[in-house]
Amino acid sequence: MKSKLIALSLFLSLFLSSCNAVDDLLTFNISNETSIKIKSTSPINLPSEIVTPEVTTNSSAQFENNKTKASLVKDVKLRSLQLAITEPSDKTFTFLKSIHLYISTTDSDEIELAYQDNINASTNTIDLICTDKKLDQYIKADSYKIRTKVTLKETLTKDVTIKADMKFKVTADPF
């Protein structure tokens, strides 16, 4: 009886670890980026919204490069979202109180993608807190929209352009 229990435990642990190994083989990253322009006329301490141009996913080509296709993708999550000020080059994030990014497509509802509140950064890059929402339908689409809600804590004398660098973790089924 004891040997059967040991054999069953060994079999289950081997089975579970092999499933994780298969998932690791079928997991890859997709990167996308977009630009966000915060106008110098944005109000202080009041949320203002910015809609970016549509982001083309190019996901079909990226799925193909990773030997899969959209129909086999089972899980997409945002792994990281970093913001970097590109213009003016000497600007830091000291002007920003909070930022929230939302994602949507023409066929899918808008959901929160990432955020950061009480920003206290004196650098020109910040990492946002990623939500754990499933993003399959957004990344499988040909394009998606990013809406940004910002709250400023100081007046801007110039428009500020920010690059949003998004990295998604994609897991696909083998067949």
Side-chain angles (χ1 to χ4, degrees):
M1 178 70 175
K2 192 174 183 180
S3 62
K4 287 183 182 179
L5 188 58
I6 292 172
L8 180 62
S9 297
L10 186 62
F11 173 75
L12 283 175
S13 66
L14 186 62
F15 177 74
L16 291 175
S17 67
S18 66
C19 287
N20 287 340
V22 169
D23 271 357
D24 287 345
L25 290 173
L26 300 171
T27 299
F28 55 94
N29 294 315
I30 290 179
S31 296
N32 283 327
E33 64 180 50
T34 190
S35 287
I36 302 164
K37 184 175 262 187
I38 302 173
K39 301 276 188 193
S40 60
T41 56
S42 298
I44 298 175
N45 288 324
L46 291 174
S48 57
E49 297 191 6
I50 304 158
V51 178
T52 64
E54 284 197 354
V55 178
T56 304
T57 62
N58 196 23
S59 57
S60 297
Q62 293 196 39
F63 294 154
E64 194 174 303
N65 289 344
N66 287 283
K67 298 175 183 22
T68 192
K69 51 188 172 186
S71 62
L72 296 176
V73 170
K74 66 177 183 179
D75 190 34
V76 179
K77 299 255 171 112
L78 183 63
R79 202 182 75 177
S80 69
L81 199 155
Q82 185 178 64
L83 301 179
I85 297 175
T86 57
E87 201 173 303
S89 58
D90 62 341
K91 190 74 177 160
T92 65
F93 279 104
T94 55
F95 71 93
L96 197 57
K97 184 175 186 177
S98 70
I99 187 165
H100 291 251
L101 274 70
Y102 302 88
I103 188 170
S104 65
T105 67
T106 53
D107 299 328
S108 304
D109 292 337
E110 180 180 79
I111 60 170
E112 189 168 28
L113 188 62
Y115 65 94
Q116 186 71 266
D117 290 316
N118 301 315
I119 297 170
N120 208 9
S122 58
T123 62
N124 67 348
T125 62
I126 57 171
D127 292 316
L128 299 189
I129 299 166
C130 302
T131 63
D132 63 348
K133 305 266 174 62
K134 277 188 80 151
L135 302 170
D136 308 19
Q137 58 195 352
Y138 303 93
I139 299 304
K140 288 179 184 181
D142 293 333
S143 63
Y144 55 82
K145 291 182 184 169
I146 297 289
R147 181 178 63 88
T148 307
K149 186 169 79 172
V150 296
T151 303
L152 304 182
K153 58 184 172 186
E154 59 185 57
T155 304
L156 294 176
T157 56
K158 293 181 182 176
D159 292 352
V160 176
T161 304
I162 299 170
K163 180 181 82 165
D165 184 21
M166 300 167 275
K167 294 191 183 349
F168 299 92
K169 178 181 170 187
V170 179
T171 304
D173 279 329
F175 349 88

